[in-house]
Amino acid sequence: MDCAVEEAEIRRVLDPVAGITALRFQLGARVLAISAPGHVLPGALAAIRGAGFDPQPLAAPSGGEGLGEAQGVSSGAGRLVAALALAIVAELAEFFAPASSLATGLGMALAVAAIGLAGLETYTKGFSALRRGQLNISALMTVAVTGAFLIGQWPEAAMVMALYAIAEALEARAVDRARHAITGLMALAPEQAEVQQADGQWLTQPVGAVAMGSTVRVRPGARVPLDGTVTRGRSSIDQSPVTGESLPVDKAVGDPVFAGTVNQAGELEFEVSAPASRSTLARIIEAVEQAQGSRAPTQRFVDRFAAVYTPAVFLVALAVALGTPLLLGWSWSAAVYKALVLLVIACPCALVISTPVTVVSALAWAARRGILIKGGSHLESARGLKAVAFDKTGTLTAGKPRLVDWAALQGEPGQAAALAARLAGRSDHPVSIAIVAGLPAVVTPTAAVDGFEALPGRGVQATLDGHAHVLGNRRLIEERGQLTPAVVAALKPHEDAGRSVTLLAGEGGVLAFFAVADTLKPSSREAVSALKAMGVTPVLLSGDNAATVRAIAAEVGIEEAQGELLPGDKQAAVKALQQRHGATAMAGDGINDAPALAQADIGIAMGGAGTDIAMEAADVVIMNDDLRHLPATIALSRRTHTVLWQNIAFALGVKAVFFGFAVFGSATMWMAVFADMGTSLLVVANGMRLLRGGEGRGE
């Protein structure tokens, strides 16, 4: 099962089989899953064999699987080389002794042997297709080679079949490289893991046998075998296989780690959070395999075109064979020969194979860089985006409050910072945590705090060194009557910028203020700028207060921004963008923005590597939250579209040229094979360029 044409053939022969509830094709792995009761399967397998295929039960994955495949390729190559050698000898026998009966007999015998070695599988599939009234490539080659042999062109028939089989083998290997590009990631995850036993000892076990909750150790320089959460140690980890991040990421207790990543520095222990079959890496590969099975719009168009094109050319060939001797006076042998050449040209392989190879190459390139595209249709439609709506928190911004400014209004700055740190250190509010983390390192919140009390919705209060102090918001200071014009003036620039301002006050008034804000991701400005350069309009949609939203939009370079939106409001806003601009994407966290993601033409989730909901909900998942991958996805989509139509135009152009040569010139059958299969190899190679670099320039 090599391509979509053969998938369609298998679907047709299985349609009449009662009891089959579902078929799932994975062309990349050459796997078909049949959902049916046990008593139905023998009939289904018999129907597949009747179509010329040889279905084999899927063995459990093992290290020997790839070896068996390599051996099969090696033995097949020897058979094809022998077939080509016999065909060449047959050609030489005809060339040097055309009138010799001995040479003719020997040449015919060699030709039959060459055809048998190279074309047995083709004949099996071809006769099966002809019995069902279908005109696939095997049927066309079967008719063409048999016809050539019968009209006395047996050396050429042998050479055509040998060249065709060799070209098919080369094409299959090239296609496999594209289709299997992503599955190579699975080899990055080790097969063994060091697991702590109940008695404290460490034992090496297969990753498939490691239970969730187990403690696993990974040494410096080793690959992480499973997903988990660090429980002991500090290190830096190269996460590029999963997230595409170019720089190592520091890991400490409480941080996640992912299977297939590389531990670079210190020894780590972590608690397993997912079995090997559901690791982030495994789910990425599963998603890409499913995406490979989905039909991109261009691919569906090509399949429909090929279904009409091949029978049409067959009818033309039949007309040439039967009509030209009567109407143009051609000899019957010349007319039949030209018709057979047309049958070879009619092969739709270059057309049919060019689209899936191109799409799969693009999907693999994206997945290697932390961009998970959930299907060829999403890959193709991304090129047409006219607007992108961004959520703010966790998408444009880091989603973690940070102390961006502070100042003492009375007394020594160091003393005010120390008092604030002591109060904030007793609170678990995100703003308090940001204040403690952002104050100078010499300030510690360890000094005594008496009578600490939380003031819901306003702040905290306590007695420090015998004096009452509060740390809270503007409302709390207003209630205390300490919001003077000078304090208001000091706060205004920060409030206008949408920052959360916390004030420290004592008995004598406000001592200091602390401005906390959710800061932009380093990639946000560059991503927005790249989108504008591509003609895509960025829009900010957020549930945060309007002032904060306007400030973030201005900082990142977005002209249109809306704040204080509920999830339903975001959905309505996306719908309005679609009506005003056209195709619109929504980029969010994949959870709170679910209605807007569903409304958008393409939902783009900030994956935060390992976020299950994000990977399930969106059409595109950016695994490392780097927004620069969003314009890269659009550029990849545009480049993929260009390559697809380059391949289609090239394949049809070559066929048109040789069609003219065949009817009005002197094209031979082996020239037609070279042209057709050469075109197939060239379009495959052109599509596979996307594996080496998909950035493009958005052409």
Side-chain angles (χ1 to χ4, degrees), residues 374-390:
K374 307 281 278 295
S377 59
H378 305 310
L379 171 66
E380 280 206 57
S381 58
R383 70 184 180 85
L385 289 175
K386 302 300 182 184
V388 175
F390 291 96

Side-chain angles (χ1 to χ4, degrees), residues 541-687:
L541 305 177
S542 176
D544 209 341
N545 69 78
T548 300
V549 172
R550 285 194 300 270
I552 291 295
E555 189 175 357
V556 78
I558 294 177
E559 286 77 22
E560 182 179 347
Q562 300 179 45
E564 302 177 3
L565 299 176
L566 297 174
D569 299 329
K570 286 187 180 181
Q571 182 181 16
V574 170
K575 188 173 183 180
L577 288 171
Q578 290 171 321
Q579 294 171 347
R580 191 163 75 248
H581 293 285
T584 300
M586 175 69 195
D589 59 13
I591 304 172
N592 298 330
D593 300 310
L597 287 169
Q599 175 65 44
D601 295 278
I602 297 180
I604 301 170
M606 301 295 106
T611 304
D612 292 344
I613 295 177
M615 291 185 67
E616 295 297 331
D619 303 316
V620 177
V621 182
I622 298 177
M623 298 299 294
N624 65 357
D625 292 357
D626 187 337
L627 280 178
R628 289 172 296 189
H629 285 336
L630 204 161
T633 300
I634 298 175
L636 176 65
S637 175
R638 294 178 178 180
R639 182 170 173 79
T640 301
H641 179 76
T642 299
V643 172
L644 283 172
W645 285 100
Q646 284 175 349
N647 286 344
I648 291 171
F650 180 70
L652 289 177
V654 170
K655 287 182 180 297
V657 169
F658 273 83
F659 189 92
F661 283 159
V663 176
F664 303 108
S666 56
T668 61
M669 286 184 65
W670 66 264
M671 288 171 61
V673 169
F674 265 125
D676 184 78
M677 301 312 297
T679 302
S680 297
L681 294 174
L682 287 174
V683 298
V684 166
N686 191 39

Side-chain angles (χ1 to χ4, degrees), residues 495-539:
E495 291 177 335
D496 290 345
R499 297 168 179 171
S500 298
V501 182
T502 301
L503 300 103
L504 173 68
E507 298 165 354
V510 177
L511 303 177
F513 72 83
F514 304 87
V516 171
D518 187 7
T519 55
L520 284 177
K521 292 178 181 177
S523 61
S524 295
R525 289 191 191 89
E526 188 176 341
V528 168
S529 176
L531 287 173
K532 288 181 176 180
M534 300 171 77
V536 179
T537 302
V539 179

Side-chain angles (χ1 to χ4, degrees), residues 270-293:
F270 64 89
E271 180 180 324
V272 176
S273 60
S277 61
R278 296 306 299 163
S279 71
T280 300
L281 185 62
R283 285 185 288 124
I284 289 173
I285 294 170
E286 179 184 2
V288 175
E289 286 178 345
Q290 292 175 354
Q292 291 177 9

Side-chain angles (χ1 to χ4, degrees), residues 92-370:
L92 293 175
E94 171 68 10
F95 180 78
F96 287 109
S100 169
S101 58
L102 177 63
T104 299
L106 176 62
M108 290 182 66
L110 293 174
V112 170
I115 293 172
L117 284 173
L120 187 59
E121 182 180 358
T122 300
Y123 266 97
T124 301
K125 290 183 179 180
F127 283 128
S128 175
L130 289 171
R131 284 198 307 269
R132 299 191 309 273
Q134 295 172 1
L135 296 176
N136 60 18
I137 177 57
S138 297
L140 296 178
M141 289 300 301
T142 297
V143 172
V145 171
T146 304
F149 198 95
L150 293 177
I151 64 173
Q153 298 292 335
W154 41 264
E156 194 163 351
M159 184 63 72
V160 164
M161 186 60 83
L163 291 175
Y164 168 76
I166 291 172
E168 282 277 280
L170 292 174
E171 179 186 292
R173 294 192 65 174
V175 171
D176 282 343
R177 181 186 166 199
R179 286 175 174 161
H180 296 162
I182 186 62
T183 57
L185 290 176
M186 185 59 82
L188 297 177
E191 297 181 359
Q192 305 287 327
E194 282 190 88
V195 185
Q196 191 174 37
Q197 307 302 302
D199 59 2
Q201 299 296 313
W202 294 91
L203 180 67
T204 299
Q205 297 178 220
V207 291
V210 179
M212 289 181 58
S214 301
T215 298
V216 172
R217 179 171 64 186
V218 58
R219 302 177 185 276
R223 290 190 180 273
V224 178
L226 294 154
D227 284 8
T229 303
V230 176
T231 56
R232 180 176 175 273
R234 297 180 65 90
S235 184
S236 59
I237 288 186
D238 176 7
Q239 296 190 157
S240 58
V242 173
T243 68
E245 291 167 291
S246 58
L247 297 176
V249 179
D250 292 334
K251 299 289 182 179
V253 174
D255 290 333
V257 292
F258 308 107
T261 58
V262 182
N263 181 26
Q264 294 196 325
E267 183 176 274
L268 290 176
E269 294 178 13
F270 64 89
E271 180 180 324
V272 176
S273 60
S277 61
R278 296 306 299 163
S279 71
T280 300
L281 185 62
R283 285 185 288 124
I284 289 173
I285 294 170
E286 179 184 2
V288 175
E289 286 178 345
Q290 292 175 354
Q292 291 177 9
S294 68
R295 315 291 284 164
T298 304
Q299 191 170 346
R300 290 193 293 267
F301 162 77
V302 167
D303 291 345
R304 290 194 302 269
F305 179 85
V308 175
Y309 161 83
T310 303
V313 177
F314 188 89
L315 291 176
V316 171
L318 189 61
V320 168
L322 300 178
T324 53
L326 300 175
L327 299 177
L328 302 179
W330 292 5
S331 68
W332 285 100
S333 61
V336 169
Y337 182 80
K338 287 182 181 293
L340 296 176
V341 174
L342 287 176
L343 290 184
V344 177
I345 296 173
C347 168
C349 275
L351 276 174
V352 173
I353 206 66
S354 65
T355 45
V357 168
T358 302
V359 169
V360 169
S361 296
L363 291 172
W365 180 90
R368 287 175 170 178
R369 285 151 184 82

